[in-house]
Amino acid sequence: MATAAAAVAVEQEAACLQSFELYESESRFYIFGTNTGKTHWRLLKINRSEPSDLDLHECCTVYTQSEYHELLKNLDEDHRLTGGVKFVTKFYGIIGFIKFVGPFYMLIITEQRKIGEIFDHPVYQVTKTSMVELANSKTRSRFLNSKDENRYKKILNTLDLRKDFFFSYSYHIMRSLQKNLSDPQEGWNIYESTFVWNEFLTQGIRNFLGSTLWTVALVYGFFKQDKISISGKDIMFTLIARRSRHFAGTRYLKRGVNEKGRVANDVETEQIVYGAGPRPTEVSSVVQNRGSIPLFWSQETSKMNIKPDIILHQKGENYEATRLHFENLRRRYGDPIIILNLIKKRERRESILRREFDRAIRIINKSIPEENHLRFLHWDLHENSRGKPTNVLDVLLKVAFRALRLTEFFYCQLAPPTGSDTAHHWPSLLSGLDPFLCEENSNSDNTDCTEIVGDISQEDISGSSDSSCNGTTEDKAENNESPPLKPPKFQKGVLRTNCIDCLDRTNVAQYAYGLAALGHQLHVLGSVESPELGLDDPLAHHLMHFYERMGDTLAVQYSGSAAHNKIFSAKRGHLKLFIRSQEFFRTLQRHYSNTCIDANKQAAINLFLGYFQPQEGKPALWELESSSVDHIAVHARTIKRVRSDGSILYGSNTSISGCSGCHNEDKELLNAAPLDVKSGSQFPVLESDSVHGNEISLTCESEVSNLRYTPMVPQTHHVPGGVETESSIHSGDSNFLDLEWLSTSGNSSDERSIAISTPDVNLSAENVISGINSETMENQDADIYTQNLPEHFVQWVNHGDTFWY
């Protein structure tokens, strides 16, 4: 028995390669991979004789360190006639393989930095990468004069892998903690996750070898971890944001939903809390989601217009893509799906989009059972921001408590580790609870688990005297008893928040939900007496810093600038003049990125994710606009653009939003038809779930042309006025909250735990250039004029419309 256990431990050690050495000969690359202790070595061979094909061979032998040195010596002898075997570099994992029009390239991580750990499983950030060409000196000459090859490499380098890409060798960071503990998966399946960005790049090596031993699964988003001290106890707090690889891209080039129900800027946020000791016995996590409004809509980039018109594309009366989106969320998180829509109710650009979203939700709800209905709250955060920012957060906190009551959160006690104490050993749920784990897609509550938890022996959670990590060393010395048995909790459903960009306003709402959840998480861990944390609690300020950092990171990824944090800044007591100055310059930075940088960045994302794959005889990425002009022009005449009272442009049939590039200011908007694969005139449509033909955003600034399309659909007409009934516009902005109650100013514990409503308090975190409260105008005028500031600047501060007149 002991021998078998030791053999399993050795196999697990050898199956977790974390350090690699690359050697080359004239005909092959040799990659030696080893574990952290460098006690087990494996060998991967890459054939270089035909670099246009990927030819890999993995040796099944596991070598000791002495055998590795002997093998390397023998390989050098075998290749002595062609120069021997030379060391190239040390690296930390294969990102994948990519091919343009010439040879294959291998993308590798050459430097990494540890940014945290989960249950002793280190998490690393990519800090340096390298692209290794597989061609040798003989075959390389065939590709030396390829200008297209060099141009593709330059475009790919636009995507900076040194920013915000992270991974773990032994923890599945692309999955939530609840899924990892209650539904563990290994190997191949984890690369199919929505949040693994190099899924396409690793397809070749995974198909060839049938394993994921040599690659790392990259997640793009945000990771931050810190210890917080509560009553002398250290708690590990982790905030993770995972960006979806589906329909991924930049702000104006990826909007709304695609035909398969994937939305732009789809991000999962997870908040994990557990004791900071070496062997935590309890853990809690909660997940929330953000994503673009799941309708077919877009915006045109414009150098002269910071707030371009919204184009709403009609796709039929059944909202099939919207329905698919919410079905996908239900598969991921279960029921209920709670929608918190923060866009403006009366603003001329956003109002019709808001009404259309409300109509889609109501139509979808009519076709599904009542217990599966989408819960929604439409609440104009900007309109309600005329009061104090604290009031805005109070309201959002009330909404958060209600949503949390419906979805619950994840909590469980962990069984003590068995076997050798190494990082690849995962914590596990108490064995006695395993039969009662709720199915991921079910809607059952925790009562069933609670009823039978009494049958579990206290021995199931017994362990060493330091197994409880919620107390100090003195506490543990005084109390060696096992922690009391608690029933597990499982999150069922998710809160989905959106505004227009799903950046600024959305981030404020997600902070409020995170704060509501943190109180409950700490309470169930026994760290605080009350499950409710106030906005002025020191922990609330600490959490605000986390969410502000996350918001800035996600905003830079999607829009090119840090988030507009007006509410957070006002909460800290910053002067309005400082806040407006900061917001103004972030607006300029975002506008410059959207008009002059995002096109190339979108092209790089399309290459990296495999949404565009260069092919011989087909147009290059930067030629697509010119090669498709005739095809596009035929359909451009079918576009109907009706300026409504909301300044929403409606497009029937297909609509493609092109933009005026930085070097093509006089170019007119082109509207494209769907891709014609058979004719070879545009992109191939790839059937893999990871590569959707309708996710491609072609771009046209400096390096590539900016071209977006929406697939052809039957023509429908949208009448701006008179279509929606009075009830759909004015009655009930929520089907799960008492709006009257929410509009009250009280915020007692009873109110938070029962129902929720929304006061007229709101400070827009997204719209930089907006009006200010007239009641404060006179005092602000006097304060500004005493500083002898330029008149134009004073007008901007007062009127909030534009900096120049």
Side-chain angles (χ1 to χ4, degrees), residues 667-678:
K667 199 164 290 184
E668 294 183 351
L669 171 68
L670 296 178
N671 297 286
L675 302 184
D676 186 355
V677 180
K678 294 181 181 179

Side-chain angles (χ1 to χ4, degrees), residues 534-562:
L535 290 168
D536 295 322
D537 191 290
L539 286 175
H541 293 280
H542 194 68
L543 186 71
M544 184 186 293
H545 174 69
F546 269 76
Y547 274 86
E548 188 172 20
R549 285 281 302 276
M550 181 186 73
D552 286 342
T553 300
L554 296 179
V556 169
Q557 294 167 7
Y558 185 61
S559 70
S561 80

Side-chain angles (χ1 to χ4, degrees), residues 89 97 164 177 182 215 298 459 499 579 591 609:
T89 186
F97 294 84
D164 310 321
L177 181 68
S182 61
T215 58
S298 60
E459 293 177 359
C499 47
I579 295 173
H591 182 62
L609 296 178

Side-chain angles (χ1 to χ4, degrees), residues 418-449:
T418 58
S420 60
D421 189 18
T422 54
H424 63 263
H425 286 93
W426 280 53
S428 60
L429 293 171
L430 293 178
S431 58
L433 301 181
D434 289 346
F436 315 117
L437 295 180
C438 308
E439 288 295 326
E440 186 174 336
N441 296 327
S442 72
N443 195 29
S444 59
D445 56 29
N446 298 326
T447 54
D448 294 337
C449 302

Side-chain angles (χ1 to χ4, degrees), residues 41-43 58-64 67 71 214:
W41 294 78
R42 289 179 176 268
L43 175 62
E58 181 183 25
C59 296
C60 58
T61 306
V62 178
Y63 302 95
T64 64
E67 290 171 337
L71 176 61
W214 301 87

Side-chain angles (χ1 to χ4, degrees), residues 640-705:
K640 292 186 177 182
R641 301 179 61 179
V642 181
R643 182 168 298 278
S644 71
D645 57 352
S647 292
I648 308 293
L649 304 180
Y650 293 93
S652 60
N653 284 344
T654 304
S655 179
I656 300 201
S657 303
C659 79
S660 300
C662 293
H663 306 292
N664 301 288
E665 296 180 8
D666 298 328
K667 199 164 290 184
E668 294 183 351
L669 171 68
L670 296 178
N671 297 286
L675 302 184
D676 186 355
V677 180
K678 294 181 181 179
S679 67
S681 62
Q682 299 197 40
F683 285 130
V685 176
L686 303 173
E687 296 299 327
S688 168
D689 179 59
S690 62
V691 182
H692 304 314
N694 61 345
E695 293 188 6
I696 302 171
S697 278
L698 310 179
T699 45
C700 78
E701 319 224 1
S702 66
E703 279 291 328
V704 285
S705 56

Side-chain angles (χ1 to χ4, degrees), residues 101 108 191 296 344 351 370 489 519 550 578 633 654 658 669 748:
V101 294
I108 58 176
Y191 280 81
F296 291 98
K344 300 172 184 177
S351 57
E370 185 175 353
K489 291 178 177 287
M550 181 186 73
F578 168 79
T654 304
L669 171 68
S748 66

Side-chain angles (χ1 to χ4, degrees), residues 47 50 71 83 103 236 241 340 369 454 475 493 562 640 667 798:
N47 189 356
E50 186 47 63
L71 176 61
M236 186 65 74
L340 177 55
D475 294 333
K640 292 186 177 182
K667 199 164 290 184
N798 285 339

